Amino acid sequence: MHLAIDVSWTQVETTWREPGARVGRHYPDVGLFEDIARTAERGLIDLIFFGDSTGIPSTWKGSIEDAVRYGVAWPRMDMSPWIVAMSRVTKHIGFGLTYATTFMHPFYVARLLNSLDHITNGRLAFNVITSQRKADAQNYGFDELMEHGQRYDRMDEFIDVCRALWASVEPDAFEWNRETGLVANPAKVRAINHEGRFFKVKGPLSVPPSPQVVPVLIQAGGSPRGTRTAARFVDHVFGARKPIPAMAKQRAEVDAALRSEGRDPGKVGIIWSTQVMVGETEAEAKKMKERLIDRVPREAVGAWLSHNTGFDMSTLPRRFTLRELNERIVAANASPVGFVQQLSQTLGHDGEITLEEFFEQGLRTATSYATTVAGTAAQIADYLEERFEGAGSRGGFMLRHSQAEQIEMLHNIVDLLVPELQRRGRFRTAYTGRTLRENLAV
Ligand SMILES: Cc1cc2nc3c(=O)[nH]c(=O)nc-3n(C[C@H](O)[C@H](O)[C@H](O)COP(=O)(O)O)c2cc1C
């Protein structure tokens, strides 16, 4: 079983007022991130993950005001320099960085990730996303979000270009021969001459190949189109939290898509996003969980939900069905993932819901209350084992928990949960790979 830690929203969003939150002058202190990296490596964790969205949420009421006021999905920095700092105080743990192929340019990203793979000595993963957020699109020259299928067409081409660039300088191209004065052999450094629908890139990449050559590639598209693109290139898929039968279904869909690409499904894992709270006792864990839903204003919930679905929830009628909501979200070119999908699984597509009920459920989701499983290390290990087996025993979990208790919870994961999983023979007792890709092998 592989374990990642999701540090995407450390200290921000709705739980920053809870005891133990490191806000104010401690955020964004680089020392905080170094602490997280050291602690996670002590627990032999595979990967520290940083998700991203680059615009301040503006979907709710068409304005950034409530997001700014309540700290929803902001502040948020480009984590690449933070990864450098974290990599200097660790040796083995990997780092997952997120960029949107809808907005970035593949030459820039291929070159940046090559540099990061060098500096981390082969510990970099790239979470390849399209972005489903208009606020992000508007910072990159678009008025509207590109259509869903087109976003994935662009991702296909983006990754083709990156891979061609990463292969454009052969591993033994550099000679640094003092006798002959030869730096590199021109026969081993080749232009890629890419001309496609979205990009025109001559190449080659102007750098030596990095330890992994290609960073570990992860993608989280949950739709059939997203899955098709993932199957072309991923080392691992990120999966959203869902009931075990739905996990098994997604696993089967990913496997079928991989087979269509002529790839071996046995070698590609799904890493499932999972919210846990581990305590010394069940009562302690449950108490921490109860604190999650305190003091979160409805506007913050609205801004959070609207941002994460790309749909303005302030426009909802007093009563509606989740099928209607899904149709509106799709019509807005957003992605009906996460909250709305989870709610449909619980209530059914045609169940009618009032606005009040919707926001009450939303509060529980925005704060991770609804999805957080709280318990002792043994209880959480049981929970993870059952899900791991139910979803084909390939991959693992990305643990998310209350942002405010990030540090406290990380200690509990490292000192309580990891030893329990090791006792059960489910988790490594030492890092054995030289690179992240080797450590993450299925
Ligand atoms: C574990 C996980 C991590 C994700 N990380 C991000 C992220 O950092 N930024 C982002 O914009 N979307 C993120 N997403 C959303 C996906 O990239 C994708 O848009 C979503 O799953 C919808 O799939 P679809 O585009 O195929 O409809 C993540 C999804 C999952 C399940």
Side-chain angles (χ1 to χ4, degrees), residues 51-52 98 127 129 132-133 148 152 220-223 226 238-240 335 337:
D52 201 17
T98 298
N127 176 37
I129 59 156
Q132 66 238 44
R133 291 160 180 140
H148 185 262
Y152 279 109
S223 61
F238 269 153
S335 293
V337 290

Side-chain angles (χ1 to χ4, degrees), residues 6 8-9 49-53 98 127-133 136 148 151-152 219-227 238-241 271-273 334-337 398:
D6 188 344
S8 307
W9 290 274
F49 170 68
F50 299 100
D52 201 17
S53 56
T98 298
N127 176 37
V128 193
I129 59 156
T130 61
S131 174
Q132 66 238 44
R133 291 160 180 140
D136 295 23
H148 185 262
R151 297 204 295 270
Y152 279 109
Q219 196 260 41
S223 61
R225 182 66 187 86
T227 303
F238 269 153
R241 190 204 159 279
I271 298 173
W272 303 94
S273 182
S335 293
V337 290
M398 176 150 76

Side-chain angles (χ1 to χ4, degrees), residues 31-43 48 85-87 89-90 93 95 410 431:
L32 169 68
F33 290 93
E34 288 173 347
D35 269 0
I36 290 171
R38 281 194 205 93
T39 307
E41 181 158 285
R42 185 159 60 75
I48 293 175
M86 294 166 101
S87 75
V89 297
T90 53
I93 195 158
F95 305 96
L410 195 53
Y431 290 106

Side-chain angles (χ1 to χ4, degrees), residues 126-233:
F126 174 20
N127 176 37
V128 193
I129 59 156
T130 61
S131 174
Q132 66 238 44
R133 291 160 180 140
K134 195 167 147 184
D136 295 23
Q138 290 175 334
N139 291 329
Y140 293 94
F142 300 96
D143 293 322
E144 294 297 330
L145 197 54
M146 194 181 285
E147 183 269 323
H148 185 262
Q150 198 182 345
R151 297 204 295 270
Y152 279 109
D153 292 346
R154 186 170 154 123
M155 183 185 281
D156 285 338
E157 192 181 329
F158 188 105
I159 292 294
D160 286 347
V161 173
C162 285
R163 291 212 288 197
L165 287 170
W166 286 319
S168 65
V169 179
E170 289 187 22
D172 59 351
F174 280 83
E175 296 190 12
W176 301 111
N177 189 324
R178 283 178 198 273
E179 309 273 295
T180 60
L182 193 73
V183 170
N185 181 348
K188 297 183 176 182
V189 181
R190 281 182 288 271
I192 66 166
N193 293 316
H194 175 89
E195 278 190 46
R197 180 172 158 207
F198 299 96
F199 305 109
K200 188 172 176 188
V201 182
K202 186 162 168 45
L205 207 57
S206 55
V207 293
S210 67
Q212 295 186 112
V213 183
V214 177
V216 170
L217 297 175
I218 303 176
Q219 196 260 41
S223 61
R225 182 66 187 86
T227 303
R228 214 163 74 224
T229 287
R232 294 184 67 229
F233 64 79

